[in-house]
Structures are given as C-alpha cells and as structure tokens.
C-alpha cells in the first residue's frame, strides 16, 4: 500500500495539549506515520488570524500568512482529519473562522467562465471527529447532527472534498476505559489512513 499524505486539522481552540481532541489527533497521527503515511499538522488555535468580515474580504481580501501556510498543507494532502469538540451544538467559532479564511475563491472554489462554481479541492477525502459530552446517538438522531451535516455538505462538499466520513465520540467524560477504546480506534484509522 502506498502511503497517503494526511493533514490533521486540530480544531480545538485551546492550544493546551491536555484536551482529549489533542490526544485523539496525536494517536491518529503517530499511527499513520508509523504505517508509512506522511503527516502534517495544522493547529487552528496557533494561527492568529482576522475573521472574514465582508463579501469583499472573502472574495479578494488579503490572505494572512498563517492561513497561506494552512492552504499549502491542505493542497499537499490527499486526506484530511478534522478534530474538534462540540460547543453549543456546533464547531468552535475559531474553527469556523479558520475555514472561512482558508476555503476562499481562487484557492478552494472559483467562478468559471461558464458562470458555474468550480470545486478546486477535488480528489481529497476527509474524516471528521467530533467529541461531545452527550451520547453520540442523541446528537446524531435527536439533534440530527446538524453541525456535522453543515461541515460535510456546506463546506467540504462545496469545495470538492469527498468522500467525507465521520466519527462521533459521545460521553467523553464518562470513563477512562471508554476514552482509551476510542484512542485505539483512532490509532487504527490512522494506520489505515482513513
């Protein structure tokens, strides 16, 4: 098997590596590298950037250097691992702001001469890992996984990234044994480059 080029996007807005999201991304990345995949990391919390505040900013505003670096890593990758905690029912605001800066026209999408949007990040796949305090089944079925669907459909599919798979990890504070089982599952996914 040929190794994949994997970009891990750590979407936890706190740089402290004591959070479970950091442990999940770390075991995935370590296992992927040990299996022969190339791995690069993007720490969203470590990238101070301005928010996109207008259509003009999104269309043609300057791209901050920190965001250009992330764009280069995403362009290099053929698979993305996106890890974040569920906050107030959705991704943390910093991660949403990061995607708004990174996935801009000319890089992720373009308006073709035929008047249609062109998706510029085709050929890449992704896995989204979301941690939460509630049961994952409640999030998926009762709350209909709305933020996950939004990220899959309105952000990643919009720029051509597919397939997109998801891993929902609920009850993260319930027990160490449960957390360790999920760490092993993420390591297995990392080895497989999925």
């Amino acid at each position: 098997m040929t190794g994949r080029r994997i970009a891990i996007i750590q979407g936890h807005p706190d740089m402290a590596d004591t959070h479970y999201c950091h442990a999940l991304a770390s075991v995935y990345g370590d296992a992927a590298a040990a299996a022969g995949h190339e791995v690069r990391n993007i720490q969203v919390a470590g990238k101070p950037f301005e928010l996109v505040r207008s259509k003009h900013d999104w269309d043609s505003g300057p791209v901050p250097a920190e965001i250009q670096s992330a764009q280069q890593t995403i362009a290099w990758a053929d698979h993305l691992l996106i890890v974040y905690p569920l906050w107030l029912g959705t991704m943390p605001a910093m991660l949403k702001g990061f995607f708004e800066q990174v996935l801009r026209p000319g890089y992720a999408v373009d308006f073709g001469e035929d008047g249609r949007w062109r998706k510029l990040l085709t050929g890449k796949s992704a896995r989204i890992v979301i941690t939460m305090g509630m049961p994952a089944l409640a999030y998926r079925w009762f709350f209909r996984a709305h933020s996950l669907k939004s990220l899959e459909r309105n952000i990643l599919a919009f720029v051509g990234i597919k397939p997109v798979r998801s891993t929902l990890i609920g009850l993260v504070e319930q027990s160490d044994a449960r957390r360790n089982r999920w760490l092993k599952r993420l390591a297995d996914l990392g080895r497989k480059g999925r």
Side-chain angles (χ1 to χ4, degrees), residues 42-167:
I42 299 170
Q43 295 283 341
V44 173
K47 298 196 171 301
F49 56 85
E50 290 293 320
L51 296 177
V52 172
R53 297 183 183 272
S54 68
K55 183 176 183 327
H56 177 267
D57 283 352
W58 193 71
D59 285 340
S60 58
V63 179
E66 300 83 8
I67 296 299
Q68 290 176 21
S69 171
Q71 287 176 331
Q72 291 167 0
T73 298
I74 292 168
W76 163 86
D78 52 43
H79 182 69
L80 308 176
L81 176 74
I82 303 165
V83 183
Y84 66 90
L86 191 69
W87 281 15
L88 295 176
T90 190
M91 71 179 78
M94 184 176 283
L95 181 58
K96 177 70 165 53
F98 170 80
F99 283 130
E100 289 174 359
Q101 275 285 14
V102 168
L103 303 177
R104 291 168 57 177
Y107 171 76
V109 292
D110 205 0
F111 202 62
E113 292 180 17
D114 59 359
R116 300 176 72 178
W117 279 106
R118 290 184 306 147
K119 301 173 181 191
L120 301 180
L121 296 179
T122 58
K124 300 178 187 303
S125 60
R127 174 169 299 275
I128 302 165
V129 177
I130 307 174
T131 63
M132 62 196 73
M134 75 172 85
L137 282 175
Y139 173 71
R140 187 177 294 278
W141 299 111
F142 183 76
F143 293 103
R144 305 221 183 260
H146 62 279
S147 74
L148 170 63
K149 290 178 184 175
S150 177
L151 177 53
E152 288 174 335
R153 203 177 32 226
N154 303 338
I155 298 175
L156 300 179
F158 180 69
V159 300
I161 298 172
K162 66 179 182 178
V164 176
R165 295 175 178 89
S166 61
T167 301

Side-chain angles (χ1 to χ4, degrees), residues 9-27:
I9 300 173
Q10 174 53 260
H12 199 295
D14 187 346
M15 282 291 292
D17 62 2
T18 56
H19 299 285
Y20 191 47
C21 285
H22 293 278
L24 292 164
S26 180
V27 299

